[in-house]
Amino acid sequence: MTTTDIRVAFDRAAQKRRSSLFRRFLRHPGGYIPLAIFLLIVLVGVFAPLLAPMDPNFVDLAAAKAPPGPEHLLGGDSTGRDILSRLIYGTRTTLWGALITIVTALVIGVPSGVAAGYFGGAFDRIATWISDALQSIPGMIILLVVAAGSRNNFELLMATVGVFMVPGYFRIARSQTLAVRGEPYIDAARVSGLSDGRIIFRHVIKAVYPPVIIQTALTAGIAMGMQAGLQFLGIGDSNVPSWGAMMLEGFRLMLTYPLMLLWPSAALGLTIAVLAIMGSTLAELVQVRTPRVSRQSGTAAGTAAGTGAGTAAGTTAGTATPLAPATGSAQHTAEESALRVENLRVVHATPTGETEVVHGVTLDVAPGEVVGIVGESGSGKSQTVFSVLDLLPSSGRATADAIWVGGADVTRATPKQRHALLGREIGYVPQEPMSNLDPSYTIGHQLIEPLRRTHGLRKAEARERARAMLLRVGLTDPDRVMRSYPHQVSGGMAQRVLIAGAIAGKPSLLVADEPTTALDVTVQAEVLELLRELQAEYGMALLIVTHNFGVVADICDRVIVMRGGDVVETGPVDSLFASPAEEYTRELIAASLDDAEGRAELDRTGTEVTA
Ligand SMILES: Nc1ncnc2c1ncn2[C@@H]1O[C@H](COP(=O)(O)OP(=O)(O)OP(=O)(O)O)[C@@H](O)[C@H]1O
């Protein structure tokens, strides 16, 4: 991609202006109208003492069942209390009760749902079981017990209602987290060394909060209805003016004095209706807005959660199938290597049992060396590098005698140490540039964050470093790129951004997994050229995964040929090309050459046609 192409792509993309969910909500009639009404209701509740014309409990016997008039605008109740004042104070009680319910449900439901979705395992199973069990408990009976035991303590009752609302939040938070935790941009954040906590707060919460807000609008309505229902049943403090208690009184006198039932029912109905409309408007806007980037096959699969333990040195694979002999060889000592993998096995749990997909691979990359792992689809290239990067999906388990990164054996490190080391020592350029960027954050933010967290740079330094890296990878307007969201840049630009991010921490090893596969042919050559330049400039080791011998011939010093989870051959590129020892290697080379000839033929035909 030329500089002009980059500019054109940028300008085209930049036209798609992004506006926040809140702003779009405010522009939608289903947003601003109910919001205005709801805010008005809140103000009435907050300023009840100023707005209410009388004390809500003041009894004026002359006003008993009085019709609306100048003294009592909405009339008097059965004991002569001013209905309007009670309604205004009742707003306060109702909102306060709903707030207690929502906060209780949010505080328990969302963190537990996110943790269950993110970490999975035993916590997920136990939390899901508790959530299901909670739903099967008859809430009203528990509420009656709590009311009797606490002498109708209003706050405790509303908190108990909140506990019964927890499963709604738990399920939403868990499913949203499950949906994003396997996204490549989460993997990319892990590889860049961000801790689980940071990833959750920065990336996962962004996906969780929109449905949680919708749920909150609906829960508020349900909580108010429940509260009115409780008070209608006579549960709660009868001295506290509330819409439910007013409805109970109105219900008793419905035939003789229907107005008493009308006012609190109208207030409750209106409040629940505006909350429901806000909820459904938000749901509509969120659906339009969230372009779910789904993981494609071949990109980093799953999160690393649960994989760290499996890589501890000395553990056995525990495969159902007999172990195949180890394959491959290391050319350098552990201390001399940027990366050295010894006897790596990867096992996946499948419905039919465990399957070993990488069978004891040994390989290494020296500092400053460019090594290609090449092989047909399914040969185990990605599983090998994902094991190094700690990115295997939760179904996968890697075991190795050792994985040396920059002279340290990461299989002996704690997961935290391992992440920190990987974030510092290894840069990762993935296959799918677009899905490896979080659509919720600007590119600048995504470059600056790992530099601050993993490399400890101050914000200004990190910004300057990110800017310089964007310039270095050929993006001529780094400030605009930093302000852009991923959807505002082209695939080629996104890959340059990821390369900038991968090298910004000055890693000693850059791992590139099919870095050009998702790009169009003209951009492929430029990205390869860029990788080669950067590797030489920074003196990094480069491990490039590809199925294309053309790429190997282009930039690699040495090649490792894989087939069916084994290393079948390794050697310097020139000698391997000149005299491959294995028939399989010969076929791969021939297939790559055929492909190249085919493409040249296509190019020629294209030229003739257009000429
Ligand atoms: N989650 C999984 N569960 C079970 N088997 C898997 C899983 N992921 C990968 N495999 C298997 O592991 C083997 C190696 O896959 P891997 O992705 O490493 O191949 P690859 O050489 O990188 O191929 P490609 O070039 O298509 O990405 C394949 O047989 C694949 O089916």
Side-chain angles (χ1 to χ4, degrees):
M1 182 183 270
T2 64
T3 306
T4 323
D5 290 339
I6 293 170
R7 279 225 179 92
V8 170
F10 183 91
D11 290 339
R12 207 179 300 134
Q15 282 161 9
K16 297 183 198 162
R17 282 277 162 251
R18 182 192 178 88
S19 61
S20 77
L21 178 63
F22 186 59
R23 241 179 273 148
R24 286 183 306 133
F25 179 76
L26 287 184
R27 282 201 297 265
H28 196 294
Y32 63 80
I33 295 174
L35 181 66
I37 298 173
F38 183 68
L39 287 179
L40 210 65
I41 295 169
V42 172
L43 287 178
V44 168
V46 171
F47 295 108
L50 300 178
L51 295 174
M54 293 183 181
D55 181 327
N57 290 321
F58 175 72
V59 176
D60 172 10
L61 288 176
K65 297 188 194 171
E71 214 170 315
H72 299 284
L73 288 178
L74 299 182
D77 71 4
S78 59
T79 52
R81 294 172 298 190
D82 182 51
I83 292 182
L84 177 61
S85 303
R86 289 186 71 72
L87 203 63
I88 290 174
Y89 270 91
T91 310
R92 194 174 233 219
T93 318
T94 307
L95 291 178
W96 173 232
L99 187 68
I100 294 173
T101 301
I102 290 167
V103 170
T104 309
L106 263 176
V107 165
I108 304 175
V110 174
S112 57
V114 169
Y118 189 81
F119 296 107
F123 179 79
D124 182 25
R125 284 194 295 279
I126 294 169
T128 305
W129 184 85
I130 294 174
S131 163
D132 292 346
L134 208 52
Q135 279 182 304
S136 60
I137 294 175
M140 195 46 90
I141 294 179
I142 302 292
L143 284 170
L144 288 172
V145 172
V146 172
S150 69
R151 297 181 183 207
N152 285 344
N153 182 309
F154 175 71
E155 279 81 10
L156 191 62
L157 275 168
M158 293 318 295
T160 311
V161 172
V163 171
F164 285 102
M165 302 280 181
V166 165
Y169 282 101
F170 174 83
R171 288 224 303 265
I172 286 176
R174 179 176 176 273
S175 63
Q176 285 297 112
T177 307
L178 278 175
V180 293
R181 80 161 193 189
E183 290 296 339
Y185 62 81
I186 301 277
D187 293 343
R190 285 181 150 273
V191 175
S192 69
L194 291 191
S195 66
D196 288 330
R198 281 256 140 218
I199 293 174
I200 287 173
F201 279 106
R202 287 281 154 199
H203 300 280
V204 176
I205 289 296
K206 277 261 174 183
V208 171
Y209 90 87
V212 163
I213 292 179
I214 296 165
Q215 175 75 5
T216 300
L218 301 176
T219 304
I222 296 169
M224 287 178 194
M226 289 277 289
Q227 179 193 345
L230 285 173
Q231 282 155 341
F232 187 80
L233 290 174
I235 303 170
D237 190 342
S238 53
N239 289 326
V240 180
S242 70
W243 294 348
M246 290 176 78
M247 282 165 74
L248 172 63
E249 201 186 346
F251 189 71
R252 285 192 191 126
L253 303 172
M254 193 169 63
L255 295 178
T256 52
Y257 189 41
L259 270 185
M260 262 198 73
L261 182 60
L262 175 71
W263 300 126
S265 306
L268 185 65
L270 178 70
T271 313
I272 293 180
V274 294
L275 287 167
I277 296 170
M278 284 199 290
S280 72
T281 305
L282 277 168
E284 189 187 314
L285 295 177
V286 166
Q287 242 171 19
V288 173
R289 176 195 164 191
T290 317
R292 177 119 317 232
V293 194
S294 64
R295 174 184 292 280
Q296 304 199 359
S297 62
T299 60
T303 70
T307 60
T311 52
T315 54
T316 56
T319 52
T321 46
L323 294 185
T327 60
S329 64
Q331 318 278 314
H332 312 89
T333 65
E335 291 71 29
E336 283 172 359
S337 309
L339 171 72
R340 179 172 151 129
V341 175
E342 295 174 14
N343 194 18
L344 171 75
R345 293 178 189 277
V346 179
V347 178
H348 276 283
T350 65
T352 53
E354 290 201 322
T355 316
E356 191 178 271
V357 296
V358 173
H359 314 297
V361 159
T362 296
L363 57 85
D364 65 356
V365 187
E369 190 182 24
V370 183
V371 174
I373 302 186
V374 68
E376 64 192 348
S377 187
S379 55
K381 309 179 296 289
S382 299
Q383 296 295 302
T384 301
V385 296
F386 289 168
S387 305
V388 171
L389 296 168
D390 206 4
L391 285 182
L392 285 176
S394 53
S395 68
R397 195 155 48 88
T399 59
D401 291 348
I403 298 176
W404 300 92
V405 175
D409 181 1
V410 296
T411 63
R412 291 174 194 282
T414 63
K416 199 172 169 192
Q417 289 168 333
R418 181 173 183 164
H419 275 149
L421 185 73
L422 293 182
R424 276 199 311 275
E425 293 290 327
I426 303 187
Y428 172 51
V429 180
Q431 193 174 115
E432 287 286 334
M434 277 305 184
S435 45
N436 278 275
L437 289 167
D438 187 337
S440 316
Y441 287 97
T442 60
I443 285 169
H445 179 89
Q446 295 184 62
L447 289 175
I448 291 168
E449 186 69 5
L451 286 172
R452 293 185 65 198
R453 302 292 153 206
T454 313
H455 300 278
L457 298 191
R458 285 201 306 275
K459 192 166 184 184
E461 281 174 328
R463 170 171 292 280
E464 206 30 61
R465 172 90 64 92
R467 216 180 150 274
M469 285 302 150
L470 287 176
L471 267 176
R472 177 60 197 88
V473 297
L475 296 171
T476 47
D477 197 348
D479 294 320
R480 288 180 72 187
V481 173
M482 300 238 291
R483 281 197 304 273
S484 307
Y485 285 89
H487 73 276
Q488 294 175 312
V489 300
S490 67
M493 289 170 79
Q495 192 59 300
R496 285 172 195 265
V497 165
L498 286 169
I499 293 174
I503 57 164
K506 303 193 174 146
S508 51
L509 170 67
L510 187 63
V511 175
D513 182 11
E514 305 262 14
T516 57
T517 307
L519 306 176
D520 71 48
V521 180
T522 48
V523 185
Q524 284 182 8
E526 290 177 10
V527 167
L528 278 182
E529 178 66 28
L530 176 65
L531 284 174
R532 188 173 23 204
E533 276 175 27
L534 291 170
Q535 181 276 327
E537 192 175 318
Y538 288 81
M540 295 175 294
L542 174 59
L543 179 63
I544 186 160
V545 173
T546 178
H547 58 269
N548 188 337
F549 255 103
V551 171
V552 172
D554 241 7
I555 65 172
C556 294
D557 303 321
R558 193 157 61 83
V559 59
I560 295 165
V561 184
M562 284 191 73
R563 178 188 201 176
D566 296 313
V567 171
V568 293
E569 188 170 0
T570 177
V573 170
D574 292 347
S575 58
L576 197 121
F577 260 90
S579 53
E582 295 288 326
E583 184 52 31
Y584 172 66
T585 310
R586 210 183 306 276
E587 283 169 12
L588 276 181
I589 294 173
S592 296
L593 292 178
D594 284 353
D595 193 28
E597 275 172 20
R599 205 172 281 163
E601 181 65 26
L602 264 180
D603 289 348
R604 258 200 312 282
T605 325
T607 319
E608 278 159 21
V609 170
T610 43

